[in-house]
């Protein structure tokens, strides 16, 4: 029988008590136990960034952590970004409007990386955005749309109105 531990974790503002298999990664826990399948798994060894979530407000690879390590902590996944079902987060709007979604598989991880980055760097240069995204691998069409979306999102999140 699989070994389990009880954990209490806050995910997207909601408290969960769960009995978690100790072998589960945090990504597995989010996807299989909580049904938050927006967190994707690509490489499963810390390279691609597809599994990025916020852990106590900092971007973290959920494939490199165990679910039990989330006990007592606060997690935000891509499902927690939009303020409501009817309204996207400005970062999501910027990705929609700048063709930043691309293959879509990597997008949740990219968004979670950028949420932290733009919070800490509200006026980034293009080069800074490219460096920030260097841990999120894209092999479909390149980074042009993603970078444009990030720069647009920085303006939107600062409340800049575009003409
Ligand atoms: S799935 Fe976690 S970094 Fe690739
Ligand atoms: S955005 Fe997924 S491979 Fe490019």
């Amino acid at each position: 029988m699989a070994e389990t531990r009880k954990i209490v974790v806050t995910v997207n503002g909601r408290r969960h008590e769960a009995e978690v298999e100790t072998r589960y990664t945090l990504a597995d826990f989010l996807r299989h136990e909580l049904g938050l399948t927006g967190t994707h798994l690509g490489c499963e060894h810390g390279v691609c960034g597809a599994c990025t979530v916020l852990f106590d407000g900092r971007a973290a690879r959920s494939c490199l952590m165990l679910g039990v390590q989330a006990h007592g902590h606060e997690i935000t996944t891509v499902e927690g970004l939009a303020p409501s079902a009817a309204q996207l987060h400005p970062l999501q709007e910027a990705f929609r409007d700048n063709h930043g979604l691309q293959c879509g598989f990597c997008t949740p991880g990219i968004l979670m990386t950028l949420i932290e980055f733009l919070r800490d760097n509200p006026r980034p240069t293009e080069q800074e955005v490219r460096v920030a995204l260097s841990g999120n691998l894209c092999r479909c069409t390149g980074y042009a749309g993603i970078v444009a979306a990030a720069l647009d999102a920085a303006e939107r999140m600062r409340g800049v109105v575009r003409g």
Side-chain angles (χ1 to χ4, degrees):
M1 205 174 90
E3 190 181 343
T4 64
R5 289 278 188 283
K6 184 177 174 187
I7 67 168
V8 180
V9 58
T10 302
V11 182
N12 300 332
R14 190 167 153 216
R15 186 176 183 273
H16 296 269
E17 283 188 27
E19 196 72 30
V20 185
E21 288 192 32
T22 53
R23 69 185 177 92
Y24 266 20
T25 65
L26 177 56
D28 289 335
F29 169 67
L30 293 169
R31 292 174 55 82
H32 301 308
E33 295 294 323
L34 301 189
L36 297 171
T37 52
T39 298
H40 290 166
L41 283 164
C43 66
E44 296 193 66
H45 61 272
V47 176
C48 73
C51 66
T52 305
V53 298
L54 296 187
F55 189 94
D56 292 339
R58 307 302 305 189
R61 307 283 210 229
S62 61
C63 73
L64 291 184
M65 302 182 63
L66 293 170
V68 292
Q69 289 178 281
H71 177 62
H73 293 278
E74 199 160 318
I75 311 294
T76 306
T77 69
V78 70
E79 289 91 344
L81 286 186
S84 73
Q87 193 185 354
L88 294 174
H89 187 283
L91 178 60
Q92 294 170 311
E93 290 179 341
F95 266 69
R96 178 195 60 200
D97 295 346
N98 290 276
H99 308 291
L101 297 167
Q102 303 192 166
C103 87
F105 189 84
C106 321
T107 310
I110 291 171
L111 294 179
M112 301 317 287
T113 295
L114 287 173
I115 279 287
E116 179 196 44
F117 172 69
L118 294 176
R119 182 192 66 207
D120 296 346
N121 304 276
R123 296 174 187 276
T125 64
E126 178 181 334
Q127 185 57 24
E128 287 168 340
V129 168
R130 288 186 180 278
V131 170
L133 289 170
S134 60
N136 291 81
L137 301 189
C138 166
R139 293 292 178 266
C140 63
T141 65
Y143 288 82
I146 296 169
V147 171
L151 291 169
D152 183 9
E155 289 193 3
R156 294 179 193 225
M157 290 165 70
R158 295 200 310 268
V160 175
V161 179
R162 291 155 74 92

